[in-house]
Structure formats: structure tokens, C-alpha cells
Amino acid sequence: MWFTLLSCVLFMALVGWISYQKSKGSVNDSDGYFLAGRGLTGGFIAGSLLLTNLSAEQLIGLNGQAYRSNLSNMAWEVTAAFAIVIMALILLPRYLGGAFSTLPHFLSTRYDEGVRRYTVILFMLGYVFVTIPSVLYSGALAVLKLFDVPELLGISFEQSVWVTIWVIGIIGAIYAIFGGLKAVAISDTLNGIGLMVIGLIVPILGFIALGNGDMLEGMKTITTQHAEKLNAVGSSTDSVPFSAIFTGMIFMNMFYWGTNQYVIQRTLGAKSLAEGQKGVLYSGFYKLAVPFLMMIPGVIAFHLYGDKLNPIDLAYPAIVSNLLPTFMSGLFLAVLLGAVFSSFNSLLNSAATMFALDIYKAGVNKNATDKQVITISKYFGSILALVSFFIAPMLMNAPQGLWDLIRQFTGFFNIPIIAIVLVGIVSKRIPSIGAKVAIIFHVITYYMLVWGLTQFFGIEITMNFIHISAILFIIEVAIMMVFGKIRPLPQPFTFKANSKVDMVPWKYTMPVTVVLISLVVGMYLLFSPIGVAYTEGIVSNWFFPSVAVLLIITVICYSFALKSWNKKYAGYLKKKHEEAVRITNNKTA
């Protein structure tokens, strides 16, 4: 155990030292501190996005879900590629073209300061009371499940939770508060490399154990015995029905990858549009690896240990503790903590950024210097970290089903924010009052449909909350359209160009998009009843013809994308940017 802790500390110290060396001297102004000096390359953006997105809750929870039922929960990961493409092609050019530092900043430009404050309030409430504490608590829980901290330190389980949360929180806060975004992005990338290495080793060791020393035999076992565990096409009784992919999940993923401040802040720090698009699209390919790294081990655990593990979240810890060599346990603990640090310090950094730029500088001290803004950000980040350290352990007293509750809670703010962003981009006449009414309507209606009707009137809504979110999205867009008709803006909104980076798109944006979408379809062919979830053999007779058709379509579309679509897309962006520059210059004149 002491070897594990020592090797973990050494790896974390190495990551911290490299992050410090790479980021020192680059946090002296607002852009340097909040946006890494607008100098992040595609690799760092992708690595940071990966670690920001992947947390201990997913590492433990997704494997637990695969152990319990099947791979239907992979929809949250794999279908994120559609939202990632929209972010890269449509939203990112707008964000970088206006040199926005935060999403509320973008919304204040499109609507007004009122909408900016509404969105900041939504983000802050979600971050402070749910997202940040749950990240810390789930990370602590994962560490306690994998390593016997109470016995090691001679303290109770409750005390171990408090100690682990504070240790994780303090280290993560140091990265976020004193290093700024660049330190966060560098540490994320280094930890991301470790996560990919460990993530590949664990299922390989599982297959070898399942096949009694033969990895290929172990792989054959999961495709021929209980093959239904590999089915990603969820039924109506699964936690993620297949139909949900085409309703609310689309908008939830679009919010996360296109408007969630703690995710998009990495892309806002890109050194150019091309590098930003590279980073965003690269992260889509990482997401496709999640089922193999974070769900297949759960299926292997089912074959190794049967259905006797209780709770189901012990599936991944059981694999790791029983199969991972001792000399690698320190690296695994470091990588696990790195994933927790990433989510925590990303949330902390983004919350501090919004407070400093969207509340303090926008409303309290409009003439604040960069030094004052950074100082206020650090003070707020420190206070927020301390508050979260006290809130997180209280989740021990929460009822079962906490994780579902957390996912449902994000529904309070993800749908209205993505709705007002998309409508704001597409429309030119819809006023700010429409966005404000949509936000208020959503918060009240969502609460009543998911919880309120049952609590107050005994009326239970059995519809999945993902479908409820899709319905509310449509209603909220309609509300804004109505206001656009009855109270349109006197003058149509025009986007003002203020780019601080090169706005030439990546020349392979469209071809890579084609490949990414094709791989998403391929993943569902692989993990379906005609693929490895076929119960009467390894795969059905339809699998290879289906893959061949997909491959042909992909090659044709890739060819068009390379020869024609990419040029048209680049021309479209250039035309839009030139129009925005001309309008900006005319207004200035």
C-alpha cells in the first residue's frame, strides 16, 4: 500500500512540476490566466476536454451499468460526436470570431446583460450545490472502494471520506486557482495519457484472466456467452432507451459540448480556429474509445464474478484490485485522482472565470485592471473550493439514487441554455425578453414535471426525463419565436467581428467529420444484435455486409468532403467573417 501511495505521489508531483514549468509567466493578464493566453493547440485542447469530461463517477458508474445490464449507457459517450461536430463547425467560429471569454459574455452580446446574469445564476447554482460537490464525493468514493484508506490510516469510513475529499480538493484547487487554464490543460493532457494507458491495460488483463491466459479466448467468451450484455441498442426498460438518442439526448450533449462553460473554456483558449477545431474533433474520437475502456471491463467482471457483486459499482474496483499488478497500482491511483482533479479544477476555474468576468467586471467594477480581475478570481475560487469541501461529504447522507438525481438536476439549466444559444445564432429579431421567459418557464416546468407533480399532487409522470427535456426544448424555442413575432428587435442583430486569433478553418474539418460520424454508426453496428450482441454466434450474417455498405458510403462522402465540401465550408466562414468585419467597421466609423 505504501508503495502504491509513494508511486502515486511521484507521478502527481511530476505532472505538477511539468505543468508549472509550462505555464509560469503566462498568467499575468486576463487572457493568460482565463484562456491560457489564447495559445492552446489541438492536442492540449483534446487532452483537456477528455479529462474534463471523464470523471471517477464515469469510470466506476459506467462499468457498473454494463455489469448490471448492457451497453445502452454508451449512448451518452458515443453520440456526443454529433454535438462535437456542431461545436466545431458552427459554434466555435462564432465564439472565436467574437473573442468571447465566457458563454454569458456571448449571450450578453446577442441579447442583453439580463440574460447574461440569468445564465450565470443557473451555472453557479448548478456548480456550487451539485456538480462540484458530486465530483469530489464520487472521486473520494472511488478511491475508498479501490484502496482501503480507513485501515491504512486507522480512521472510520466517514472520516476517510472527509480526508480524501479535502486532499483531492486542495490539490485540484492549487492547479485551478494559482495556475490558471494553461496549467489545468497541461496537467489534463498528461493525466489523459496515463488514463488511456491504464484504460487499455485493464480490459486486456481482464480478457487474459477470462480466457485462462488466452486473451483471444477471453474476447470470444464475452461474445458467445451472455452476448446480450454487449447490446447498446437500449429497450424501453433500459435507463437509456435507443429512442432517447434522437430526442433530449441530442440537446443535452449539445449543451455539454457546445455551451457548458467548463468544457468550452478550453476551446476559447485556442491559438487559432484550426487548432480549436482539431482539438474538438480529436476529442470525439476519444469518446468512441470510452465503451472499450469504461464499459467492457464491467462486462468482463460479470463473466468473472457472476451477478453477485453488491453494489454493482464494485465491478471495476474488483477487476483492478484482483488483476492489476502491484507495481502499476500507484500509476492507476494517480490517473484516477487525475480524472477527479481535472473535473474539479475545470469546474472551479470556470466558475471563478464567470464570477470575475461576468459579475465583477461586468457589473461591479467595469474599469477593473487585469490584476484586480485575476485577484478577485483567485479569492472567489478559494472560497468556492472551501464551500464545496464542506458540502461534498454531506452527500454520504443522501438517499440511494443520488447519481440519477444529479443527472436529472442538470436538466434545470442545460436545455434552456442550449435553446437560447441556438435561437440566438439562427435568428436576428428575437428579443432578450423571449430568452428570459424561456429560462423561467423551463426551471418551473421542469421541476413540476420531474418532481413537483408527484410531491404536491401525487401525479406521477412516467416519461423518461430525457424525453421531457426534448419536449421542453421545442416549447421554449416556440416561446422565443412568438416573442420574435409580437416584440421583434427594432433593428436585426448583427454579429460583430472581434477575433484575436486566425480564423482560417482546419483544412481537414469536413473529411474528419465524415469519418467521425461514420465511426459512430459503426459502433452501433458492432454493439448491436447483428454485431457482437448476436446471441447465436460471434456476429450475425448481416454484420459484415452492413459494415461494407457503411465503408462504401464513408469513402464516397470523404471524397466529396475533401474535394468540395471543405472548400465550400471555408468559403462560407470567410464570407461570414468578412461581412461581420465590414459591419463592425461601418458601426465604428
Side-chain angles (χ1 to χ4, degrees):
M1 181 61 72
W2 287 110
F3 174 80
T4 298
L5 291 175
L6 179 62
S7 55
C8 170
V9 169
L10 290 175
F11 181 80
M12 289 168 58
L14 177 64
V15 171
W17 182 79
I18 294 174
S19 300
Y20 169 74
Q21 291 296 321
K22 292 289 186 180
S23 63
K24 67 179 180 179
S26 63
V27 295
N28 297 321
D29 58 19
S30 292
D31 275 357
Y33 184 79
F34 298 118
L35 297 176
R38 298 187 188 273
L40 294 179
T41 58
F44 280 121
I45 292 171
S48 189
L49 286 173
L50 173 69
L51 259 288
T52 297
N53 175 242
L54 300 181
S55 67
E57 181 183 349
Q58 287 173 293
L59 193 65
I60 302 298
L62 284 175
N63 277 296
Q65 291 299 316
Y67 171 82
R68 179 182 66 86
S69 55
N70 53 32
L71 301 189
S72 58
N73 273 277
M74 88 172 195
W76 289 108
E77 308 300 322
V78 174
T79 63
F82 298 121
I84 286 170
V85 167
I86 293 172
M87 173 60 178
L89 298 184
I90 300 173
L91 297 178
L92 187 58
R94 287 295 181 115
Y95 296 155
L96 294 181
F100 300 111
S101 301
T102 65
L103 180 80
H105 180 200
F106 169 76
L107 292 175
S108 72
T109 303
R110 170 56 184 88
Y111 295 105
D112 63 13
E113 287 297 319
V115 175
R116 183 183 202 170
R117 287 190 290 270
Y118 277 42
T119 53
V120 170
I121 290 171
L122 286 176
F123 273 126
M124 288 297 179
L125 290 176
Y127 285 0
V128 173
F129 292 107
V130 177
T131 314
I132 294 178
S134 68
V135 165
L136 286 175
Y137 178 67
S138 63
L141 209 59
V143 171
L144 293 175
K145 284 181 179 178
L146 293 168
F147 303 94
D148 194 356
V149 177
E151 182 179 344
L152 179 67
L153 301 180
I155 56 179
S156 67
F157 177 80
E158 290 76 13
Q159 291 171 324
S160 298
V161 171
W162 278 87
V163 170
T164 308
I165 285 173
W166 277 73
V167 170
I168 292 173
I170 290 172
I171 297 174
I174 290 173
Y175 278 124
I177 295 170
F178 298 103
L181 180 62
K182 189 169 184 178
V184 172
I186 294 170
S187 64
D188 284 354
T189 302
L190 296 174
N191 283 315
I193 295 172
L195 179 67
M196 297 299 288
V197 171
I198 290 294
L200 287 171
I201 291 174
V202 169
I204 290 173
L205 293 176
F207 283 130
I208 292 174
L210 189 60
N212 294 318
D214 187 337
M215 185 177 74
L216 294 179
E217 186 63 29
M219 297 173 70
K220 181 180 178 181
T221 299
I222 68 170
T223 61
T224 55
Q225 300 176 23
H226 299 286
E228 70 280 356
K229 303 285 290 182
L230 297 175
N231 187 17
V233 183
S235 67
S236 59
T237 57
D238 286 316
S239 56
V240 181
F242 188 67
S243 60
I245 296 173
F246 307 99
T247 57
M249 187 173 289
I250 294 176
F251 305 117
M252 290 179 171
N253 277 330
M254 283 175 62
F255 160 79
Y256 187 88
W257 290 97
T259 63
N260 196 346
Q261 177 65 29
Y262 92 98
V263 174
I264 68 170
Q265 192 164 337
R266 280 100 182 95
T267 64
L268 298 180
K271 68 183 296 184
S272 66
L273 175 60
E275 291 297 325
Q277 290 177 323
K278 283 182 191 177
V280 173
L281 291 173
Y282 287 164
S283 67
F285 290 98
Y286 288 153
K287 295 294 284 182
L288 297 179
V290 169
F292 299 101
L293 307 182
M294 296 191 173
M295 298 194 79
I296 292 298
V299 177
I300 295 173
F302 175 82
H303 286 273
L304 287 175
Y305 312 120
D307 59 357
K308 305 301 181 183
L309 293 180
N310 186 29
I312 60 173
D313 287 341
L314 287 174
Y316 195 70
I319 288 276
V320 171
S321 60
N322 293 331
L323 302 181
L324 197 68
T326 303
F327 70 89
M328 296 191 67
S329 58
L331 175 61
F332 177 80
L333 178 59
V335 168
L336 175 66
L337 291 175
V340 178
F341 292 155
S342 176
S343 296
F344 172 65
N345 59 32
S346 298
L347 284 160
L348 200 61
N349 183 271
S350 296
T353 299
M354 284 190 290
F355 179 83
L357 299 181
D358 295 310
I359 295 178
Y360 178 73
K361 189 166 185 176
V364 178
N365 185 1
K366 295 185 178 180
N367 298 318
T369 63
D370 283 347
K371 184 177 180 180
Q372 287 176 314
V373 172
I374 293 173
T375 300
I376 287 295
S377 172
K378 290 181 178 180
Y379 280 134
F380 179 78
S382 301
I383 294 171
L384 182 60
L386 286 173
V387 171
S388 65
F389 295 167
F390 285 101
I391 293 177
M394 296 179 186
L395 297 180
M396 283 188 291
N397 303 318
Q400 290 187 350
L402 170 68
W403 311 121
D404 280 340
L405 184 66
I406 291 171
R407 284 190 288 270
Q408 290 174 355
F409 188 91
T410 60
F412 274 114
F413 55 89
N414 56 15
I415 293 300
I417 289 177
I418 189 62
I420 63 176
V421 168
L422 293 180
V423 169
I425 290 175
V426 173
S427 69
K428 295 183 178 182
R429 291 280 187 178
I430 292 178
S432 60
I433 184 64
K436 294 171 185 175
V437 171
I439 291 172
I440 295 171
F441 166 82
H442 178 89
V443 171
I444 296 173
T445 308
Y446 182 81
Y447 169 74
M448 292 303 295
L449 291 176
V450 177
W451 294 289
L453 289 177
T454 302
Q455 293 173 346
F456 296 122
F457 306 106
I459 302 174
E460 184 176 358
I461 304 296
T462 58
M463 181 183 295
N464 190 290
F465 76 97
I466 301 175
H467 293 314
I468 291 175
S469 297
I471 295 171
L472 291 180
F473 175 86
I474 295 172
I475 294 173
E476 286 148 28
V477 170
I479 289 173
M480 286 184 278
M481 298 295 288
V482 169
F483 275 98
K485 288 290 185 182
I486 62 177
R487 292 183 59 180
L489 290 173
Q491 296 294 328
F493 170 77
T494 53
F495 178 76
K496 295 179 181 179
N498 185 35
S499 59
K500 295 184 179 180
V501 298
D502 181 25
M503 291 301 295
V504 176
W506 185 32
K507 63 180 179 179
Y508 295 114
T509 299
M510 297 303 289
V512 170
T513 295
V514 169
V515 174
L516 182 59
I517 298 301
S518 176
L519 288 175
V520 171
V521 177
M523 287 288 288
Y524 271 94
L525 286 177
L526 177 64
F527 295 113
S528 73
I530 70 169
V532 292
Y534 183 60
T535 56
E536 298 180 18
I538 297 178
V539 294
S540 75
N541 294 330
W542 286 98
F543 177 69
F544 289 109
S546 300
V547 171
V549 171
L550 176 62
L551 184 60
I552 292 171
I553 294 173
T554 302
V555 170
I556 293 173
C557 292
Y558 185 90
S559 177
F560 276 108
L562 195 60
K563 295 178 180 179
S564 175
W565 296 348
N566 217 59
K567 292 180 182 178
K568 291 181 179 179
Y569 172 68
Y572 168 78
L573 287 186
K574 183 179 179 181
K575 179 181 177 182
K576 286 291 184 183
H577 185 66
E578 289 175 348
E579 287 179 358
V581 170
R582 185 173 63 255
I583 291 170
T584 303
N585 291 338
N586 290 340
K587 288 189 174 182
T588 302

